[in-house]
Amino acid sequence: MAPLSVSVVGGGIIGLSIAWACARRGHAVTVHDPAPGRGASHVAAGMLAPVGESYFGERELTALLLECARRWPGYAAELAAATGHDLGHRTEGTLQVGLTADDLAQLRRLWTYQRELGAEVVALDGDGLREREPLLHPRARGVLVESDHQVDPRRVVAALCELVPVRREAVHRLSDLDADVVVLAAGCASAALGGLPVRPVQGAVLRLRGQAAPCHVIRGYADGHAVYVVPRRDGEVLVGATVEERADGHATAGGVRDLLRAATDLVPELAEHALVEVSVGLRPGTADNGPIVGELAPGVLVATGHYRHGVLAAPYTASAVADLVDGATLPPLWEPFTPQRLTAGGIE
């Protein structure tokens, strides 16, 4: 088909990935964002965790996320080759652990569900767990999920910004854009721009630095408190994340305390690390936790509402939206997540 002009509203990892996918197919692309990469993508830990993020009652979403994860190795290799950037893509797997009997009871229910979905969840005894991760608390028990990986979203966004033109400007009305196709990928701002039921779900993430760091991503519970610990190769360790139905942009003392307590209970060595950053972001949530991807109106496409899954879903979202730009239909796995479900007998 003839090249089209495509305006992408939103310069987070979703919008930038869509722009790169469209540009690679020969379209003339421009991204519009006053502060590209400074929204949820800047705060996100970057866990590529379709198994760790699988929850009861979300089978269609889990099936989609599993396919999203399968896209990441190839996507990371192509992006690294195009830019020369190290994206922090790591494949050691994720440990899901708990400290108390109640923690493990809750996790075992989740592990049973994950196995029913076909996920490979490998049980480890105490010795096996600490052989893989010596810094874990001696009482920790859990499993290894080899397919749950990680990437550094800040590095990914920096790489993508080198590949697509970005206008550092705000868009107040989609109708102001003179393009053959407009793609709305503005996260929480998509609610006002597109009239969509997307709400902000605030989250705080902590960044630590110290002498020793875990080798794996660690997710789990410490005395009932959920937490994740994500190590980077440069010595940074991310701890997250709060989940708050608010949007004031401020981390609370209680939220930071709970995250640090749970993280240091699971990995005591982290108590010696310096707390170097507390960042707060707004996840674009929907009523059913699913993304919104598809045609919003003639000439207007949407890709938003990814909630906790924006980093994981970025490559497959980009491919699906680029297909729509080319005049093709959405892949079947995306069909449950079109904008039409929001009013056609679905969520309101």
Side-chain angles (χ1 to χ4, degrees):
M1 65 177 298
L4 300 175
S5 58
V6 180
S7 287
V8 179
V9 182
I13 195 168
I14 294 290
L16 290 167
S17 294
I18 291 169
W20 187 42
C22 291
R24 295 174 80 189
R25 299 188 188 195
H27 300 298
V29 180
T30 302
V31 176
H32 303 261
D33 194 310
R38 298 298 299 185
S41 302
H42 188 71
V43 179
M47 292 178 292
L48 309 177
V51 177
E53 289 287 347
S54 60
Y55 295 99
F56 303 102
E58 296 182 355
R59 287 181 178 268
E60 290 178 327
L61 179 57
T62 298
L64 174 66
L65 297 179
L66 287 167
E67 179 59 29
C68 290
R70 283 190 280 270
R71 302 291 178 113
W72 253 104
Y75 181 82
E78 291 170 359
L79 183 56
T83 62
H85 283 245
D86 175 6
L87 307 177
H89 185 231
R90 297 178 59 174
T91 60
E92 296 91 345
T94 295
L95 298 173
Q96 295 183 359
V97 301
L99 276 185
T100 69
D102 287 344
D103 295 337
L104 291 171
Q106 183 166 350
L107 284 168
R108 287 188 183 104
R109 289 192 293 271
L110 183 59
W111 296 334
T112 298
Y113 175 67
Q114 291 169 345
R115 289 185 175 112
E116 289 173 355
L117 294 173
E120 187 173 353
V121 179
V122 181
L124 299 172
D125 61 18
D127 290 340
L129 196 60
R130 268 168 297 287
E131 181 179 343
R132 291 180 177 272
E133 196 55 77
L135 296 182
L136 274 172
H137 192 286
R139 287 194 292 113
R141 297 292 183 272
V143 302
L144 171 67
V145 182
E146 292 183 340
S147 60
D148 281 6
H149 302 154
Q150 65 152 303
V151 73
D152 187 337
R154 293 183 179 181
R155 293 177 179 236
V156 174
V157 165
L160 288 167
C161 282
E162 293 185 2
L163 299 174
V164 295
V166 179
R167 289 187 182 174
R168 294 175 178 264
E169 60 185 16
V171 172
H172 301 290
R173 291 183 303 273
L174 299 183
S175 59
D176 291 341
L177 297 171
D178 182 17
D180 296 317
V181 180
V182 173
V183 181
L184 177 58
C188 294
S190 302
L193 287 168
L196 294 164
V198 176
R199 75 188 194 283
V201 182
Q202 186 165 291
V205 173
L206 317 179
R207 283 172 163 79
L208 315 179
R209 283 194 177 274
Q211 293 300 313
C215 304
H216 300 76
V217 173
I218 299 169
R219 300 177 65 123
Y221 294 91
D223 199 18
H225 292 285
V227 71
Y228 59 71
V229 176
V230 181
R232 304 282 196 232
R233 288 195 182 96
D234 64 0
E236 184 177 66
V237 179
L238 281 69
V239 174
T242 62
V243 180
E244 307 165 71
E245 295 287 345
R246 51 190 286 189
D248 58 18
H250 299 299
T252 65
V256 172
R257 175 203 61 206
D258 291 345
L259 289 176
L260 288 173
R261 178 181 295 165
T264 55
D265 282 350
L266 288 177
V267 186
E269 176 68 25
L270 294 181
E272 302 301 319
H273 283 48
L275 175 60
V276 297
E277 182 181 326
V278 178
S279 53
V280 177
L282 301 177
R283 312 171 182 92
T286 63
D288 61 1
N289 293 334
I292 306 171
V293 174
E295 186 179 61
L296 188 61
V300 180
L301 307 177
V302 64
T304 191
H306 289 78
Y307 190 31
R308 302 182 305 266
H309 315 301
V311 175
L312 171 59
Y316 196 23
T317 300
S319 173
V321 172
D323 285 347
L324 292 176
V325 171
D326 285 345
T329 58
L330 277 174
L333 285 172
W334 287 102
E335 290 175 358
F337 304 105
T338 66
Q340 286 67 41
R341 83 180 191 281
L342 305 178
T343 54
I347 59 177
E348 295 288 347

